[in-house]
Structures are given as C-alpha cells and as structure tokens.
Amino acid sequence: MTAILQTRKLRVEFRGRELRQSAKTALVGLDLEVHAGEVFGFLGPNGAGKTTTMNVLLGFVPPTSGEASLFGIDVRQPIARQRIGYLPELTYYYKFLTAEELLRFYAKIFKIPRAEADRRVAALLKLVELEEAGKRLIKTYSKGMQQRVGLAQALINNPDLLILDEPTSGLDPLGRMKVREIIQRLKEQGKTVFFSSHELGEVETVCDRVAIVHQGELKAVGRVGEIVGQRHGNLEKAFLDIIGYQPQPAL
C-alpha cells in the first residue's frame, strides 16, 4: 500500500528559555506510516506528542532530527502541503461572515475559479449538512455547526489527505456522531484522514488503524481489532494497558 504520510526516527526537542534550563523532548524516534484511503487514529494522553507531530507535518515546527514526508516530499518543502486540508483543535472564524462567504474566502486563497468555487461551496455545505444554514452568520451557529464549517474549509481545496486535531473536542453526542458520519463519507470518496482524538469509542468505530503514543514514543500501531483483540477488551482498556496506567486503589 502507498504511504502518503511517513515519519522516520522523528525527534523534536524544545529548548528551554532559561540559560541553564534543559531541553524538553516531545518526540523520540517516531516511526509512522499512513496509507492512502485509510482513516488513521493518532492516540495518546495529553502531552504525548500528538500535536507536535501534526505541527511538524504542517511545517509549523522543525524536526530536531529524523524525517517526515507527505506524498513522498519532505515536509520542510512547502509544496508537500499542497494536497492536504487541516482542521486545528481550536478554530476561530470571522463570525460576521456566513458559511458561504467564509468558504468563498478560502477558495480565493487557493485561487479556485469562481464557477468551480461555487460548485465546491454548494457540495461541501451539503456534505457537512449545512446547506440550509449556509447564508446564516457563523456567530449564530452552535459549536457543532462551527466545527462542521471548519471541516468544510479544510476540504475547499479538494485535498487527498485531511489532518484533524481533536475534531470532536467539546461536541455533544449528536455533534460527534455527525462528524463521524462526515469522516466516513470522506473515506468513501477515497480521502485519507489522519486525526487525533481522546474519544476512544469514536476512534474504535471509524478508524482502520491506530497509533498510540506516550511520552513522545510510539507504543503500539495496528488495526483496531488486532490491538483490542490482544488485550481481550475494548480500545479504552487496550489504551490504558499500553500506556501503563495503574488505577489507584479505592480508599
């Protein structure tokens, strides 16, 4: 299978601000491969290195050592990111715009011709189930609706790879379900989705494969069924076992 996202011995260190302060290691020799057409879950507790990994892939943070590539191109080259869409965990959009206006704004950034932009805006609003609300101001949207607008803007350039950082963070059960449905539709269209999440039940439902990182190190990678089956439980139990969590005894 074709690997369209790849890291090899990826290491990231952040230097301390103080003169004698030691460097903080965020990633230690991370090896990852994400294949074309799969939904890949990137899991780990807070501070495990998930967002740092995404920031390297997006060109926001340089690697200290090792390699990272998208579509076979080193991520330090801007052309590597031409075929990706990105949704950050915390989004902020111009709330005085409507969803249609916002998407047309991003279409202009990508220099998409007007007729094609109109077609894509209509198709994306339908995909994220906002066609009836497309002319409403974003400031009137719920959190879930704003997140779906974010997914639409990440797709405006018709990317082959979608990188999502906690796409269901802060959503209610209905909002999470709608995002899951959108991810499934994207997979059916042949898109590749790489996303981090703390919602393990959701990951177990939609992902083909997962990677689990802890303290900057890759602890497990494989198909969800394989990882769960090895530990005779669900993904939450497998996750806690892999990161070495020990529950505290009751008082």
Side-chain angles (χ1 to χ4, degrees):
M1 298 179 69
T2 304
I4 64 172
L5 183 161
Q6 194 170 47
T7 69
R8 285 286 177 267
K9 300 186 183 303
L10 187 65
R11 183 180 184 88
V12 176
E13 295 179 355
F14 294 108
R15 299 294 178 187
R17 293 185 178 181
E18 301 296 329
L19 183 61
R20 297 183 180 179
Q21 189 174 3
S22 60
K24 176 186 176 183
T25 302
L27 291 174
V28 185
L30 182 68
D31 289 338
L32 276 183
E33 278 192 3
V34 177
H35 302 139
E38 71 176 344
V39 178
F40 191 97
F42 196 39
L43 314 179
N46 290 333
K50 303 186 301 297
T51 298
T52 297
T53 302
M54 291 185 172
N55 285 340
V56 170
L57 296 169
L58 294 162
F60 299 153
V61 171
T64 304
S65 62
E67 302 174 353
S69 63
L70 297 171
F71 305 99
I73 303 171
D74 192 305
V75 295
R76 287 170 289 194
Q77 300 183 42
I79 194 173
R81 292 180 289 280
Q82 284 188 338
R83 296 165 60 189
I84 70 171
Y86 170 57
L87 178 67
E89 180 180 1
L90 300 175
T91 59
Y92 178 81
Y93 301 114
Y94 298 115
K95 296 186 178 181
F96 55 83
L97 296 178
T98 67
E100 286 185 1
E101 290 168 339
L102 180 79
L103 294 178
R104 288 199 176 94
F105 170 73
Y106 281 100
K108 287 182 179 179
I109 292 176
F110 285 102
K111 299 180 180 179
I112 300 170
R114 178 62 184 268
E116 176 63 14
D118 288 345
R119 187 193 68 77
R120 290 192 192 183
V121 168
L124 288 172
L125 288 175
K126 182 177 181 179
L127 174 72
V128 300
E129 299 181 13
L130 289 175
E131 62 265 53
E132 299 298 323
K135 297 186 184 299
R136 278 173 48 191
L137 294 178
I138 292 173
K139 69 180 180 181
T140 68
Y141 282 11
S142 67
K143 167 70 173 173
M145 293 170 75
Q146 290 183 29
Q147 197 75 341
R148 282 182 276 148
V149 169
L151 279 169
Q153 69 80 21
L155 290 163
I156 194 67
N157 61 323
N158 193 26
D160 295 309
L161 169 64
L162 200 60
I163 297 177
L164 312 176
D165 193 358
E166 298 287 348
T168 59
S169 176
L171 300 186
D172 62 19
L174 179 60
R176 292 199 299 271
M177 182 189 70
K178 286 184 177 294
V179 171
R180 286 199 304 270
E181 290 173 348
I182 293 168
I183 290 174
Q184 186 60 44
R185 289 180 207 140
L186 294 172
K187 180 184 177 182
E188 291 168 359
Q189 294 175 11
K191 304 292 186 186
T192 305
V193 182
F194 176 78
F195 76 99
S196 67
S197 178
H198 288 111
E199 301 290 342
L200 299 183
E202 155 191 301
V203 169
E204 193 167 5
T205 301
V206 302
C207 288
D208 300 303
R209 290 193 304 135
V210 299
I212 297 174
V213 291
H214 184 46
Q215 296 178 343
E217 297 184 27
L218 181 66
K219 297 297 185 180
V221 63
R223 291 195 166 275
V224 176
E226 294 171 356
I227 290 176
V228 170
Q230 291 167 0
R231 288 163 177 81
H232 309 290
N234 57 20
L235 186 58
E236 180 176 339
K237 179 180 183 302
F239 175 84
L240 294 175
D241 285 349
I242 288 166
I243 67 172
Y245 175 76
Q246 296 294 329
Q248 296 297 317
L251 296 177

